[in-house]
Amino acid sequence: MTIYGATIVDTPGDPFAGDPAAALAQDGALLVQDGVIRARGSLAALRADHPGEPVTRLDGGLLVPGFVDTHVHFPQIRAIGGLGMPLLDWLEQCALPEESKLADQAYARAVAAEFLDGLVAAGTTSALVFGSHFAPAMDELFAAAARRGLNITSGLVLSDRILRPELLNSPETALTDSADLILRWHDQGRLRYAVTPRFSVSASDEMLDVCAQLLGKGVWFTSHINENVAEIATVAGLFPGARHYLDTYRRHGLVTERSVFAHNVHPDEAELAVLAEHGASVAHCPTSNCALGSGLFPLRRHVEHGIHVALGSDVGAGAGLFLPKEALQAYFIQQLLGPAGLPLTPVHLLYLATRAGARALGLDDRVGDFAVGKDFDAVWLRPADGSTLAVNLRHAHDTTDALARIFALATPADVAGLWVRGQSIRDRAVRAESAACPDPR
Ligand SMILES: [Zn+2]
């Protein structure tokens, strides 16, 4: 057992459902045993109740739940920063040429390590990861994620048209390759499988039907939707019988409580109603939407329909893996929307970066906040002495104000500690371990 003494902050409530301030909780200590939180309270009280147990003091900064990224592309970690293009041009010129390189398994192994080490460095402990088009690359990602103890849900990306030929699979191959990966990796430790058609642009009805067959295995589903107006027009042309973009998925039974749709910048009211009716979630990707000029996310309309929204970094179109940066950009976007926007408080931002993601991924019984019984997945954000963030934290009026200053100023350099199921992992240590650890397959 270990007692962690810190300024512990989380959002056990839903700030979109009531008073945002009431969603925030603060304590001074957690008791952790075998990776699970066993007690929570003041440091004095936990010490008195558990005399003799070791105490780890995390003085300064804030201890928050590990971040949850609900949309991020592992094959694009080397392709960040391609500015000046809308979605379809960016895919063609920037993302897909890099994704093709993952046909080489050694290349994919190196990329998987860089990607996961990047998540760790950014304080992300759970993620829904958009995978690769190549099954051996998926084996590399899952094996490397297992070594790091991260909560990773991911799957083989499926496309059978329009993209460059090396990224295409037939529906038959997609079915057998995906089924093999599900057998090997789904529900292995903290790993889970997500059926992942790239988007309706590149997935025929036959391929989407294969996705429906795979969903019958109890796995998750993710794809893109309504990101860019040219993309939406392309989908309308490819599926003349569909009522709207979401209908291309709905017709195959792919809109469920286990479905996470990325972007949804330009939904119509009927699509929002269908998402709400089926309990599907939306991954809002703020820096990506800005970088590609996709549009300003209508968060208020989603919330008014009762749709669950979480955050995605959408690397490589997004501007890095650090979820607080996405939360800040989400705040900016709502400000720019004026009366149509939904003003966000620091409590909303913490919720969006942590518990909202856990809820979207169906992991909120295990992670996302520091309730007793949950896994101890935690990030200690403590800036270097003398940094502008340290100065601002010293002058914060209260915890909510401290959170505001963290979201405004923090970077991955401020991640002073990271725990997954109670194990402290740091990127340097993980690299040494993964270099020394033989492949388990
Ligand atoms: Zn994406």
Side-chain angles (χ1 to χ4, degrees), residues 71-73 76 90 130 198 224 227 262-263 285 288 314-315 317:
H71 185 72
V72 57
H73 294 252
Q76 296 175 8
W90 176 82
F130 223 86
R198 183 156 207 121
H224 295 98
E227 179 172 359
H263 299 287
C285 306
S288 167
D314 198 24
V315 156

Side-chain angles (χ1 to χ4, degrees), residues 116 119 126-127 129 141-142 145 150-154 190-192:
L116 294 167
L119 290 185
S126 300
V129 176
L141 177 75
F142 281 126
L150 298 169
N151 257 326
I152 297 293
T153 306
S154 188
R190 298 185 113 194
L191 306 177
R192 301 183 311 174

Side-chain angles (χ1 to χ4, degrees), residues 1-4 30-39 53-54 190 366 373-377 419-424:
M1 278 196 275
T2 303
I3 296 170
Y4 292 91
L30 297 172
L31 175 73
V32 176
Q33 181 184 31
D34 299 330
V36 176
I37 299 164
R38 302 294 183 190
E53 297 301 341
R190 298 185 113 194
R366 293 185 243 169
K374 294 196 180 176
D375 292 350
F376 183 60
D377 279 12
W419 291 261
V420 293
R421 286 214 89 208
Q423 294 291 314
S424 172

Side-chain angles (χ1 to χ4, degrees), residues 349-368:
L349 302 190
L350 180 61
Y351 173 80
L352 283 169
T354 57
R355 188 154 174 270
R359 287 180 68 183
L361 303 188
L363 292 169
D364 52 320
D365 58 337
R366 293 185 243 169
V367 297

Side-chain angles (χ1 to χ4, degrees), residues 269-293:
E269 288 299 301
E271 289 176 302
L272 292 174
V274 172
L275 287 168
E277 178 193 345
H278 293 276
S281 296
V282 168
H284 172 29
C285 306
T287 68
S288 167
N289 292 344
C290 292
L292 298 177

Side-chain angles (χ1 to χ4, degrees), residues 124-366:
T124 296
T125 51
S126 300
L128 176 57
V129 176
F130 223 86
S132 165
H133 290 263
F134 304 102
M138 293 311 301
D139 283 322
E140 295 295 341
L141 177 75
F142 281 126
R147 286 196 290 272
R148 288 160 178 79
L150 298 169
N151 257 326
I152 297 293
T153 306
S154 188
L156 182 68
V157 177
L158 306 178
S159 291
D160 64 343
R161 64 181 179 190
I162 294 178
L163 304 186
R164 47 180 59 218
E166 67 269 24
L167 296 179
L168 303 181
N169 272 314
S170 68
E172 296 75 28
T173 313
L175 184 63
T176 53
D177 283 358
S178 302
D180 284 351
L181 285 165
I182 289 169
L183 268 180
R184 279 205 291 284
W185 298 110
H186 182 59
D187 272 343
Q188 298 297 311
R190 298 185 113 194
L191 306 177
R192 301 183 311 174
Y193 197 85
V195 176
T196 311
R198 183 156 207 121
F199 53 172
S200 296
V201 172
S202 67
S204 68
D205 275 309
E206 292 71 32
M207 186 62 98
L208 294 171
D209 202 46
V210 160
C211 293
Q213 292 179 52
L214 292 165
L215 269 198
K217 298 178 184 293
V219 297
W220 286 73
F221 177 85
T222 192
S223 195
H224 295 98
I225 194 163
N226 288 326
E227 179 172 359
N228 163 289
V229 288
E231 169 215 17
I232 295 166
T234 305
V235 169
L238 289 165
F239 295 89
R243 284 180 284 168
H244 41 60
Y245 195 155
L246 184 64
D247 202 39
T248 64
Y249 300 119
R250 186 206 58 81
R251 296 188 304 181
H252 294 276
L254 302 175
V255 184
T256 77
E257 285 182 346
R258 290 184 164 215
S259 304
V260 180
F261 291 95
H263 299 287
N264 211 30
V265 179
H266 307 283
D268 66 25
E269 288 299 301
E271 289 176 302
L272 292 174
V274 172
L275 287 168
E277 178 193 345
H278 293 276
S281 296
V282 168
H284 172 29
C285 306
T287 68
S288 167
N289 292 344
C290 292
L292 298 177
S294 300
L296 303 178
F297 181 72
L299 177 61
R300 179 184 289 282
R301 290 171 61 212
H302 282 76
V303 169
E304 286 174 353
H305 276 271
I307 297 165
H308 193 67
V309 176
L311 288 178
S313 66
D314 198 24
V315 156
L321 296 167
F322 193 52
L323 260 288
K325 187 191 217 177
E326 297 302 325
L328 179 67
Q329 191 73 18
Y331 166 84
F332 290 155
I333 289 168
Q334 296 311 307
Q335 291 295 106
L336 289 172
L337 278 168
L342 187 60
L344 297 174
T345 68
V347 180
H348 287 116
L349 302 190
L350 180 61
Y351 173 80
L352 283 169
T354 57
R355 188 154 174 270
R359 287 180 68 183
L361 303 188
L363 292 169
D364 52 320
D365 58 337
R366 293 185 243 169

